[in-house]
Amino acid sequence: MNLFSKLRRRDSDYRPKGDNRFYLELDGKKLPVVPQFDDQCVDLDVDEDRFVDNEEFRYLTQNMPFRVDSERFIREHKHAWTHTPLPELALYPNYEQVGAQLDEMVRKYPGKCEKISLGSSHQGREIWALRLGEHRLGEKPGIVITGGTHAREWPSIAIPLDLSEKLLQDGSRLRDSEIWIVPLVNPDGYEISRSGDNTYRKNGNPEGPVDLNRNFADDCPEHVHLWRPAGDKPGIKYDDKGASDDPKSRQFRGTHPASEPETKALLKLQLEHKNILGVIDNHNCGEMLLYPAGGEAGYYQALGQAMNEAAGGEPYRVMSAPELYPVSGISNDVQQANGIVGMTLESGFSMQPPEAELARLKDRAGRAHLAFIDKIIQDKDNLTRT
Ligand SMILES: [Zn+2]
């Protein structure tokens, strides 16, 4: 079937009456797909028998710009499309449990950390930070570690939580730095991704969910292109560059720069605290270290190499974000524009890996984070905040 007839078919009212659902196979059972994924099924169901078989599912992971574990990635999508809970759900703490884990660290390591709310989400959940350090606010070079910006990227929440425990247990870096761990930037989206659609990416804005990592911008007029690149006109989706003006898009940039409370909370932390010199934003997946377009390649490549040496094993691919695909409104670009070293760590090969793989990711990413923190402490006198 050619593309034209497929497009035409989608436009027309071709769906049969009666049972017009799509089906797929999961753990030996034939399950109906929930209607919100019909469009994706239309794309994949090449033989038009309304059953997306494994051969057809393969198209899902083709032409991806980064490496994924196809089998696992497809399995996660099958759970989402049938709203069947993932068995791995219990491995990953929910919003309440993330807060409780932070409380537990405050109790266990008195005087070494405090739990602070950076603000609240659209649906009224707190965006919690754990501030680690032995000194007064702002006295030492600051490093921010974030996770859970994209709802479905579950290890990106587990990794910073695990890192907090490692930093507190060891204690040595807390004498020379102030570390802010923000494990769950997007609590509303995360809870949505845990309750049916585990491929959910955006936030919980009731007026129209936004891709938080396409919404970042500061209020400096010279930086306005970071959110909407030149030549990308408001409200028109056909000229979209690096993010979308279409509210239905997974990369919807929002109605205006930093429109979302979650984005605002992060910007306030990073831009108002002038001791903050470095940020790692955790995402999944692809095993990559991405640095901002405006960053000095030599510096970031050396930083990436130090992180790779510490992580061990097969190295993360180190490259600038636009080498992977065009992006705008991402946190790293705003950090770079304000003299903060910003990196994105894309861990793993799927969005909700099982236990053994999660343990491997925590271990590797943990060591890479420690190398990043050490490098920022070492470079503190050469880094200039604006
Ligand atoms: Zn992401």
Side-chain angles (χ1 to χ4, degrees):
M1 145 163 289
N2 68 36
L3 183 66
F4 181 68
S5 58
K6 192 132 183 164
L7 286 172
R8 225 174 36 174
R9 190 188 66 173
R10 194 197 287 196
D11 275 351
S12 68
D13 227 345
Y14 81 99
R15 276 179 198 147
K17 301 259 183 306
D19 184 9
N20 60 353
R21 303 191 80 163
F22 284 95
Y23 288 83
L24 55 77
E25 178 273 325
L26 183 59
D27 293 330
K29 288 192 214 84
K30 188 180 169 188
L31 299 174
V33 173
V34 295
Q36 77 184 92
F37 297 103
D38 277 0
D39 283 352
Q40 285 95 321
C41 289
V42 168
D43 288 339
L44 292 182
D45 181 23
V46 182
D47 62 5
E48 300 184 38
D49 63 353
R50 303 194 77 82
F51 181 81
V52 185
D53 62 39
N54 287 340
E55 183 59 34
E56 290 166 332
F57 255 114
R58 207 174 294 175
Y59 292 108
L60 193 67
T61 57
Q62 275 177 355
N63 306 317
M64 291 191 76
F66 48 82
R67 206 177 128 196
V68 293
D69 174 342
S70 303
E71 209 174 302
R72 179 69 208 171
F73 197 81
I74 288 168
R75 187 176 176 77
E76 290 168 5
H77 277 73
K78 285 182 173 182
H79 278 277
W81 292 12
T82 56
H83 277 198
T84 311
L86 273 170
E88 288 78 16
L89 191 69
L91 263 182
Y92 295 88
N94 65 21
Y95 164 72
E96 298 290 342
Q97 290 164 331
V98 168
Q101 285 192 25
L102 300 180
D103 288 333
E104 176 59 15
M105 284 189 257
V106 172
R107 192 196 60 76
K108 206 164 135 191
Y109 301 98
K112 307 264 187 227
C113 60
E114 58 180 325
K115 184 185 174 197
I116 297 168
S117 172
L118 302 180
S120 58
S121 66
H122 272 287
Q123 297 174 19
R125 295 185 176 91
E126 303 292 333
I127 300 160
W128 292 118
L130 195 68
R131 189 182 79 92
L132 283 62
E134 295 178 359
H135 299 269
R136 281 206 308 275
L137 188 67
E139 247 181 31
K140 292 285 171 184
I143 293 134
V144 176
I145 312 289
T146 57
T149 304
H150 286 146
R152 63 181 175 172
E153 301 174 9
W154 296 358
S156 77
I157 299 151
I159 287 167
L161 283 172
D162 186 63
L163 176 72
S164 313
E165 184 72 43
K166 282 175 178 146
L167 286 163
L168 287 162
Q169 238 172 42
D170 168 74
S172 64
R173 289 172 183 85
L174 308 188
R175 291 194 282 272
D176 303 315
S177 62
E178 176 181 277
I179 301 171
W180 292 79
I181 307 276
V182 190
L184 186 46
V185 170
N186 177 14
D188 298 345
Y190 182 52
E191 287 303 300
I192 295 169
S193 81
R194 292 177 60 87
S195 54
D197 175 9
N198 54 283
T199 60
Y200 191 82
R201 170 183 167 97
K202 296 193 279 185
N203 74 346
N205 186 338
E207 314 257 281
V210 172
D211 179 344
L212 292 178
N213 206 30
R214 299 294 184 274
N215 186 242
F216 279 91
D218 59 18
D219 43 21
C220 170
E222 285 157 36
H223 298 160
V224 72
H225 63 280
L226 296 179
W227 180 72
R228 180 192 298 288
D232 184 333
K233 289 191 189 66
I236 295 173
K237 61 183 177 183
Y238 300 102
D239 63 355
D240 283 345
K241 286 187 180 153
S244 183
D245 284 313
D246 178 4
K248 288 208 277 300
S249 164
R250 278 179 178 241
Q251 280 87 35
F252 179 47
R253 58 165 59 98
T255 51
H256 55 278
S259 55
E260 303 308 292
E262 299 88 355
T263 316
K264 282 194 185 92
L266 265 284
L267 286 166
K268 188 170 157 59
L269 169 67
Q270 295 172 15
L271 302 183
E272 287 185 7
H273 296 250
K274 297 294 182 190
N275 66 317
I276 287 170
L277 300 177
V279 176
I280 295 186
D281 192 14
N282 279 281
H283 287 256
N284 311 107
C285 57
E287 293 280 278
M288 298 174 292
L289 283 166
L290 306 175
Y291 58 86
E296 195 207 307
Y299 182 83
Y300 279 101
Q301 285 291 340
L303 176 58
Q305 195 183 333
M307 292 168 76
N308 267 325
E309 279 166 15
E314 200 181 320
Y316 300 109
R317 263 174 83 195
V318 186
M319 64 183 145
S320 75
E323 281 178 76
L324 182 67
Y325 43 57
V327 280
S328 56
I330 63 169
S331 68
N332 288 163
D333 284 346
V334 177
Q335 288 143 15
Q336 170 66 29
N338 287 277
I340 301 172
V341 178
M343 256 195 166
T344 291
L345 173 48
E346 298 273 4
S347 294
F349 300 109
S350 76
M351 301 300 176
Q352 297 110 20
E355 192 162 16
E357 174 67 352
L358 177 62
R360 188 188 75 85
L361 299 184
K362 282 183 193 170
D363 198 42
R364 246 172 93 59
R367 287 194 297 268
H369 278 78
L370 296 182
F372 179 92
I373 293 167
D374 290 343
K375 185 86 165 81
I376 297 296
I377 295 172
Q378 187 192 322
D379 292 350
K380 64 179 189 300
D381 298 326
N382 303 323
L383 298 170
T384 316
R385 270 300 302 271
T386 49

